[in-house]
Amino acid sequence: MTITSAHREHGPGHAWLDIGQDASPQMRVVVEREADKDRYLGLDCWQSTPLELAVEDTSDNRLLLGPNVVDHLKEGDFIKITVPQLAAMVEDFWPNVPISGRRGVGSGLVSSQPKKKNKGRDNSDAIRKNAAAFSAGLETENEEAPLENFGVGEDTRLSKWKLFAVVAGMCLLWIGAGVFAWLYYDELSALWGEEQSVVAEAQQQLPSQTSTAPVRDRAYWQSMLVNEELSGDQLYEAAHETSSQPDLLDISDDFLRLSAGKDHALAMREYAEIFDPTKEIATRQDAIKNPRTALQYYTQLSANGDNSVSTEIDDLCQLLKPKYYEDAEARTTFDDYCS
């Protein structure tokens, strides 16, 4: 099996895995790195237990890996990718594949890149000097300009009688307008009401004629994933809307995780139940049960005042207790959430 970039065909965050035989969309991959702990790539970060990750597409003998894999790796990382359905695996150095930026920089092995400094000449001093010179020029011009140049000299000033005539004319105009409005109030009100009804009818018809709904394809939902202004409720609704489409299941779980991260109670419970080994429910992904992830969100719900999760916490702690001296992961989880 070989790994190559799929940037030209599918954009940043995509890579091809050539398996040497017919590829199926139902195939999954398990990604493993060289590390003392958290060796396996999960839905959001590296974890201690393996997880079968979905692929985005297939082409002949190739599986298309999406941002859920590519965005966690950088060029030169030594990894092992296994396809459980074929009992096949490849060990190799990760090639140069641009990441999509969908996940935060710094996730997994990807390191943040420093911003480029401006290599041009620093001209801030010159700008300040020009601004000071410009201000000084304005002050000089204002000081030297004679008052007559602005139209308020002796020859151009209005006489008292002319000023009185102007003010009186304006007062008569306002009085005449008030009398006209009082005499024809009913007619003006009817005309105004008719115009308002016409405008309202036009506004009701306008959206159906001109508005176009956005195309909710994969690119649309990926752009929504990086919209940091979405609330927990909006992310939760997006998770359920995408869960009905098989090719968007990975994005649906991302929406659910982001909603849980904003303390959305329903999202936190559903996300915890995906990894809860005591729950036999259908999940949107073939996720491997992980008591630690489930306890993380259950305990957060409890800290937020939701006492209904106490049973789930007790059940998971009782499940971990017999493994305390046998499994290091179980012991660490028990100490963090049960003791």
Side-chain angles (χ1 to χ4, degrees):
M1 295 193 293
T2 57
I3 306 168
T4 57
S5 175
H7 173 226
R8 293 182 179 274
E9 304 97 317
H10 297 277
H14 294 84
W16 288 115
L17 176 63
D18 192 329
I19 60 176
Q21 54 184 290
D22 291 340
S24 168
Q26 285 73 38
M27 291 181 179
R28 299 289 188 268
V29 296
V30 176
V31 181
E32 182 179 357
R33 64 176 179 175
E34 286 189 330
D36 295 333
K37 63 177 183 177
D38 297 334
R39 297 175 60 91
Y40 300 96
L41 183 58
L43 293 176
D44 182 48
C45 59
W46 297 93
Q47 60 188 39
S48 60
T49 54
L51 175 64
E52 295 184 6
L53 301 172
V55 298
E56 283 199 3
D57 201 358
T58 60
S59 175
D60 299 329
N61 297 339
R62 300 181 297 175
L63 300 174
L64 180 62
L65 308 181
N68 61 328
V69 174
V70 175
D71 282 5
H72 291 279
L73 301 169
K74 62 186 176 75
E75 183 180 5
D77 290 337
F78 187 75
I79 61 165
K80 178 169 72 174
I81 299 181
T82 305
V83 182
Q85 291 79 4
L86 303 176
M89 70 89 174
V90 60
E91 291 181 317
D92 203 349
F93 293 98
W94 185 254
N96 182 16
V97 182
I99 64 173
S100 70
R102 169 178 147 196
R103 300 182 184 271
V105 175
S107 299
L109 301 181
V110 180
S111 58
S112 59
Q113 299 295 326
K115 295 183 179 179
K116 294 183 178 179
K117 296 183 178 179
N118 183 8
K119 296 183 180 179
R121 183 177 58 188
D122 185 0
N123 57 357
S124 58
D125 291 338
I127 293 174
R128 285 194 293 268
K129 290 179 180 179
N130 291 338
F134 180 73
S135 300
L138 288 180
E139 293 175 359
T140 303
E141 290 180 3
N142 289 338
E143 290 175 357
E144 295 177 354
L147 188 62
E148 288 77 12
N149 291 343
F150 293 93
V152 293
E154 181 109 8
D155 295 337
T156 58
R157 188 178 295 122
L158 289 175
S159 67
K160 294 182 179 179
W161 289 109
K162 289 182 179 180
L163 181 61
F164 174 77
V166 172
V167 173
M170 294 177 64
C171 290
L172 290 175
L173 181 62
W174 281 106
I175 292 173
V179 172
F180 178 81
W182 179 72
L183 291 175
Y184 295 97
Y185 175 78
D186 293 337
E187 289 81 356
L188 291 173
S189 298
L191 180 60
W192 174 256
E194 182 178 351
E195 291 179 353
Q196 290 296 100
S197 63
V198 172
V199 172
E201 183 178 355
Q203 290 176 343
Q204 291 177 356
Q205 296 176 356
L206 183 61
S208 62
Q209 297 173 357
T210 61
S211 62
T212 56
V215 179
R216 297 178 180 268
D217 56 7
R218 187 175 187 85
Y220 169 82
W221 290 114
Q222 286 179 333
S223 67
M224 296 295 288
L225 273 174
V226 296
N227 186 350
E228 298 180 355
E229 297 181 359
L230 293 182
S231 65
D233 287 335
Q234 291 172 319
L235 291 166
Y236 183 73
E237 292 176 2
H240 278 265
E241 186 169 346
T242 51
S243 66
S244 60
Q245 304 181 48
D247 60 329
L248 298 179
L249 294 181
D250 58 326
I251 291 181
S252 176
D253 278 345
D254 282 341
F255 276 124
L256 191 65
R257 172 180 54 79
L258 292 173
S259 178
K262 293 193 175 184
D263 284 353
H264 191 282
L266 292 177
M268 293 171 72
R269 176 179 281 275
E270 289 185 22
Y271 197 70
E273 289 178 349
I274 291 177
F275 297 94
D276 188 345
T278 67
K279 301 288 185 182
E280 295 182 0
I281 60 174
T283 63
R284 284 188 286 273
Q285 291 272 24
D286 295 331
I288 297 176
K289 299 297 185 177
N290 189 333
R292 185 177 186 85
T293 301
L295 280 169
Q296 174 186 346
Y297 289 96
Y298 283 148
T299 53
Q300 183 61 44
L301 282 169
S302 179
N304 292 345
D306 186 353
N307 297 323
S308 64
V309 295
S310 58
T311 301
E312 282 79 1
I313 295 175
D314 291 341
D315 290 344
L316 285 174
C317 289
Q318 291 300 321
L319 180 68
L320 294 172
K321 192 173 183 180
K323 305 176 182 179
Y324 187 87
Y325 295 103
E326 302 174 1
D327 186 347
E329 180 68 19
R331 180 166 58 255
T332 302
T333 303
F334 188 90
D335 289 341
D336 289 342
Y337 296 103
C338 302
S339 58

